[in-house]
Amino acid sequence: MALLDFLKKRSGGEDEMSFIDHLEILRWHLIRSVIAVVICAILVFMFSNFFVDDIIFGPTRGDFISVEWLCKIGQKVGIGDGLCFKSEPRFQETTMTGQFIASFTVAFVGGFILAFPYIFWEIWRFVRPALSDKERKGTSGIIVWVSILFFLGVAFGYFILTPLMVNFYFNYKLSAQIEIIPTFSDYLENVIYTTVGIGVLFQLPLLVLLLAKSGILTGTVLKKYRRHAFVVILIAAAIITPTTDPFSLAVVTAPLYILFEVSVALASKIERRNKLENPQEWS
């Protein structure tokens, strides 16, 4: 029923457009999004050596900007050289096609990151006709905010989480006889998780905003479970952060909790506005 209501709103409340018509429109939005990803992927592929040597492998080097910063901060907070790189990691490939396939993975993931604002814009163009004038006004600038939050999440995962991950796993020793030489594909997979994944996770405030506007979630409910949310965020941060020192845990926990508090503020603002506009429903 919700899907049918959405499609009816897209067609301006009229039944002129069939379900197939809506699917056809959505198909072209998706096709244009894929074309944008492919174009950006081709650009990344053309400069694949730069992207692999300077971007992908950047967080594995001791002279990387955030690695040096984390090392200095770690020394100042009293954990010594725990966050400093003791050696430069080396990687290998155990299959003949490994590097060839990895080059396409780098290209398409890079293409997706670069094309993300356009992809969301295409999705928004499909959804926007179903919104009322008031809803459109209330969501003005959403493309900019979604893009900003996504790139902030990607930057946080790339500059902070990836160096922490590399430092921990290359220094963790189960036995002195074990030499750590992971495959490049394994490292690339982890980099994707800690960049694109965190970029998506940083959309939390906008998701809460949409739920609040829909009446599904309120600021009161979020405030009621604030302590529970902090525990959940702490557990999530402990899972995301491979290291065991309090500083690394705090580095990951802080931005996630800030995102939660921003979500609380947005939901509370929507709740107050709804109470002023429809006082009889809240009495």
Side-chain angles (χ1 to χ4, degrees):
M1 291 299 293
L3 177 60
L4 293 177
D5 290 340
F6 169 75
L7 296 179
K8 190 174 182 180
K9 289 179 180 179
R10 279 201 81 257
S11 56
E14 301 176 0
D15 296 326
E16 297 177 358
M17 294 181 65
S18 65
F19 181 72
I20 301 300
D21 292 331
H22 288 289
L23 284 182
E24 178 66 15
I25 293 174
L26 177 61
R27 183 172 75 92
W28 280 105
H29 285 297
L30 294 177
I31 288 175
R32 286 191 291 268
S33 298
V34 171
I35 291 174
V37 172
V38 170
I39 292 174
C40 292
I42 292 174
L43 292 175
V44 173
F45 188 81
M46 290 172 60
F47 300 96
S48 57
N49 289 337
F50 164 75
F51 277 94
V52 172
D53 291 336
D54 296 342
I55 304 298
I56 302 297
F57 282 146
T60 68
R61 299 191 177 100
D63 59 352
F64 189 62
I65 182 171
S66 61
V67 172
E68 293 181 338
W69 177 78
L70 288 171
C71 180
K72 292 177 181 178
I73 294 295
Q75 292 171 344
K76 289 183 179 180
V77 298
I79 59 176
D81 295 331
L83 298 180
C84 301
F85 279 17
K86 298 175 178 61
S87 61
E88 186 172 307
R90 306 293 296 176
F91 301 91
Q92 63 174 335
E93 270 301 342
T94 58
T95 60
M96 208 165 43
T97 59
Q99 293 187 68
F100 180 73
I101 295 174
S103 65
F104 283 96
T105 302
V106 170
F108 279 100
V109 172
F112 173 79
I113 293 174
L114 294 177
F116 181 82
Y118 181 81
I119 295 171
F120 185 79
W121 181 65
E122 286 289 352
I123 296 173
W124 180 245
R125 286 178 63 195
F126 179 75
V127 174
R128 195 171 185 273
L131 303 179
S132 64
D133 293 336
K134 181 180 178 182
E135 289 172 331
R136 292 176 189 176
K137 184 179 179 181
T139 53
S140 61
I142 189 172
I143 297 173
V144 175
W145 284 110
V146 166
S147 301
I148 289 174
L149 288 174
F150 177 75
F151 287 122
L152 280 176
V154 169
F156 178 72
Y158 176 72
F159 287 102
I160 304 300
L161 293 186
T162 300
L164 289 175
M165 172 190 71
V166 171
N167 188 31
F168 175 79
Y169 286 123
F170 273 91
N171 288 317
Y172 182 83
K173 291 287 185 180
L174 187 62
S175 171
Q177 290 184 267
I178 301 175
E179 186 178 2
I180 304 172
I181 310 179
T183 63
F184 172 63
S185 300
D186 178 44
Y187 168 70
L188 182 61
E189 182 180 348
N190 282 278
V191 171
I192 293 172
Y193 286 144
T194 54
T195 52
V196 179
I198 299 298
V200 174
L201 183 61
F202 267 49
Q203 304 299 315
L204 176 63
L206 292 178
L207 175 61
V208 170
L209 180 63
L210 292 176
L211 293 175
K213 285 181 175 291
S214 303
I216 300 174
L217 198 61
T218 64
T220 302
V221 172
L222 290 176
K223 290 176 182 177
K224 180 180 178 181
Y225 293 100
R226 179 180 268 130
R227 293 181 180 178
H228 303 79
F230 179 76
V231 174
V232 171
I233 290 172
L234 197 61
I235 294 173
I239 295 173
I240 294 172
T241 310
T243 56
T244 55
D245 60 273
F247 174 75
S248 301
L249 185 63
V251 165
V252 179
T253 303
L256 295 180
Y257 188 73
I258 290 172
L259 286 175
F260 174 76
E261 288 297 337
V262 171
S263 303
V264 172
L266 290 173
S268 299
K269 182 179 179 180
I270 298 297
E271 184 179 359
R272 288 194 299 270
R273 190 175 68 186
N274 290 338
K275 286 182 179 180
L276 292 175
E277 294 177 352
N278 305 292
Q280 67 278 3
E281 296 182 7
W282 298 83
S283 58

